[in-house]
């Protein structure tokens, strides 16, 4: 790509050349003060695909006309609703079809997975994670430790950035794993850190964790549909994600899990079981004795939320058409353009600082802006001018140009508003 320029002509030229530009029109954009927003908040809630209504109506019609028979009759019987999304989900996270399944909600799924993959025994009882993890992860780990009668303050090892730094060095994570290798039962951390926007080196972390004798899993809430993932190739043991951020499946909608195939045929593996994870060939015999389905399906507990799955599929079909390789290519360019403009405009003003890594392999589309002057007033000024971003206490604004529906002109318009806003906080 040619060098970036701070000009409308440059942004419009990039948009004309964008092979993914057609997808923008497939989403609804909210309005701020009566005008279409510059929506840079896909890291919190993705936009609604216009096809959601059509997808929902298919299953609503089946419910209306078939009622209970919809489980087995029609073009898309509900009995196998969880199978619709497997191919695309596997492509997005870099897995095999039987290693993924759409189910449940993120934190509930993490708990279910940790029942299987956090099995403290003797002195090998510690969990390693990143300091400042998203609260749900912190609470999940705390209560998992308590569930096993352990003190979370002793069982949880937190790796923090060095003094004066905002992101974690991979070497420090690996050193912490090595330092606790005789006590470590599990490594469970974010794949992409929600606050800083840093993508962790999941391949290196997984390798080090395994060498230390621990199992390794990731919360991919901010990575799925955003950063390149190769979970099977990296040997990750387990992972979980939500679908309402970059996967655009709707607020609180169905989440998903990944379990490496080496764990996929272990009926002896500890788990909290439910009817829908039981062998589907004999499920309706209603007999005692849990026999898990092969692969990730064996961690299902309840039948799928059919209407939620329909909305989920409307977005996944767009991902399938666009392709993660193309989306990632555009994402790198969009976020690179955003970073260039921010640095051009803010200079040495001291108002803000980008704390997300500049190296493209170490970030997704999100840039986290640390606000040194003006605080939340800067964010409020953004919003008054039509920018929908995300404020995180104590003083970070997260801005995420999403390649499926954001444009280079969106980024240029943001830059002009940024320049206008910074003039108010000299």
């Amino acid at each position: 790509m040619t060098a970036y320029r701070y000009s409308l002509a440059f942004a419009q030229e990039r948009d004309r050349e964008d092979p993914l530009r057609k997808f923008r029109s497939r989403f609804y954009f909210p309005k701020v003060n009566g005008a279409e927003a510059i929506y840079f908040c896909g890291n919190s809630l993705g936009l609604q695909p216009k096809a959601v209504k059509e997808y929902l109506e298919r299953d609503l019609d089946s419910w209306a006309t078939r009622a209970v028979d919809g489980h087995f009759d029609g073009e898309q019987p509900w009995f196998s609703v969880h199978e619709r999304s497997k191919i695309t989900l596997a492509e997005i996270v870099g897995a095999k079809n039987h290693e993924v399944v759409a189910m449940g909600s993120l934190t509930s799924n993490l708990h279910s997975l940790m029942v299987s993959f956090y099995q403290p025994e003797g002195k090998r009882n510690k969990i390693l994670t990143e300091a400042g993890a998203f609260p749900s992860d912190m609470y999940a780990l705390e209560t998992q430790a308590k569930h096993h009668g352990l003190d979370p303050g002793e069982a949880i090892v937190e790796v923090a950035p060095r003094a004066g730094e905002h992101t974690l060095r991979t070497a420090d994570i690996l050193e912490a794993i090595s330092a606790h290798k005789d006590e470590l039962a599990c490594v469970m951390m974010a794949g992409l850190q929600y606050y800083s926007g840093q993508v962790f080196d999941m391949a290196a972390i997984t390798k080090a964790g395994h060498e230390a004798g621990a199992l390794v899993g990731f919360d991919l809430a901010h990575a799925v549909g955003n950063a390149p993932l190769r979970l099977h190739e990296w040997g990750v043991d387990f992972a979980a994600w939500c679908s309402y951020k970059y996967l655009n499946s709707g607020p609180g909608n169905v989440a998903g899990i990944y379990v490496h195939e080496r764990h996929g045929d272990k009926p002896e593996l500890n788990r909290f079981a439910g009817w829908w994870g039981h062998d589907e060939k004999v499920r309706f015999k209603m007999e005692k004795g849990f026999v898990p389905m092969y692969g990730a399906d064996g961690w299902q507990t309840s039948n799928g939320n059919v209407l939620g799955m329909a909305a989920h599929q409307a977005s996944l079909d767009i991902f399938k058409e666009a392709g993660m390789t193309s989306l990632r290519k555009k994402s790198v360019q969009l976020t690179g353009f955003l970073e260039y403009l921010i640095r051009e405009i803010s200079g040495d003003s001291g108002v803000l600082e980008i704390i997300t890594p500049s190296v493209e392999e170490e970030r997704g589309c999100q840039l986290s802006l640390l606000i040194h002057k003006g605080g939340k007033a800067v964010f409020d000024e953004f919003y008054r001018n039509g920018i929908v971003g995300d404020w995180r206490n104590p003083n970070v604004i997260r801005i995420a140009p999403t390649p499926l529906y954001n444009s280079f002109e969106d980024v240029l318009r943001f830059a002009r508003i940024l320049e206008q806003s910074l003039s108010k906080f000299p």
Side-chain angles (χ1 to χ4, degrees), residues 66-137:
R66 297 185 179 91
V68 71
D69 290 336
H71 284 93
F72 296 99
D73 294 344
E75 293 181 7
Q76 297 182 327
W78 302 330
F79 180 80
S80 56
V81 65
H82 64 284
E83 296 178 3
R84 298 180 193 173
S85 57
K86 278 182 174 290
I87 293 175
T88 305
L89 283 176
E91 291 174 352
I92 289 172
V93 303
K96 297 184 178 181
N97 294 354
H98 56 262
E99 293 178 319
V100 299
V101 65
M103 58 174 268
S105 59
L106 173 55
T107 306
S108 295
N109 287 346
L110 279 175
H111 278 299
S112 293
L113 290 167
M114 292 196 71
V115 166
S116 299
F117 298 109
Y118 174 54
Q119 291 288 306
E121 185 174 351
K123 70 174 184 178
R124 189 174 284 279
N125 60 32
K126 295 189 183 299
I127 312 168
L128 184 139
T129 193
E130 86 270 19
F134 193 79
S136 284
D137 287 3

Side-chain angles (χ1 to χ4, degrees), residues 237-259:
D237 292 292
F238 66 98
W241 56 85
C242 56
S243 71
Y244 47 80
K245 301 181 188 297
Y246 297 107
L247 293 187
N248 312 306
S249 296
N253 201 3
V254 63
I257 68 167
Y258 154 90
V259 177

Side-chain angles (χ1 to χ4, degrees), residues 289-341:
F290 179 71
V291 180
M293 293 275 287
Y294 176 69
D297 288 2
W299 272 264
Q300 296 177 104
T301 52
S302 304
N303 57 319
N305 179 332
V306 173
L307 301 182
M309 292 280 205
H312 187 37
Q313 196 63 42
S315 180
L316 290 181
D317 285 349
I318 296 175
F319 270 88
K320 182 178 180 180
E321 184 179 350
M324 279 303 298
T325 299
S326 297
L327 287 168
R328 175 59 178 173
K329 181 179 179 181
K330 179 181 175 182
S331 179
V332 168
Q333 295 172 354
L334 270 180
T335 303
F337 187 37
L338 175 64
E339 180 184 18
Y340 162 79
L341 292 175

Side-chain angles (χ1 to χ4, degrees), residues 344-415:
E344 281 286 300
I345 291 165
S346 62
D348 57 1
S349 67
V351 175
L352 60 83
E353 173 187 359
I354 300 173
I355 63 172
T356 306
S358 286
V359 179
E360 65 184 51
E361 291 82 10
E362 296 178 9
R363 69 185 185 195
C365 66
Q366 170 187 323
L367 292 184
S368 295
L369 312 182
L370 183 64
I371 305 302
H372 293 296
K373 296 180 182 179
K376 194 170 182 292
V378 177
F379 176 77
D380 292 339
E381 182 69 14
F382 283 178
Y383 190 83
R384 277 192 293 272
N385 286 277
I387 297 170
V388 180
D390 184 62
W391 173 263
R392 291 289 156 167
N393 289 320
N395 57 347
V396 160
I397 298 173
R398 302 186 303 172
I399 299 294
T402 304
L404 260 181
Y405 49 72
N406 283 129
S407 66
F408 288 87
E409 188 169 347
D410 285 339
V411 175
L412 190 282
R413 290 170 60 204
F414 166 84

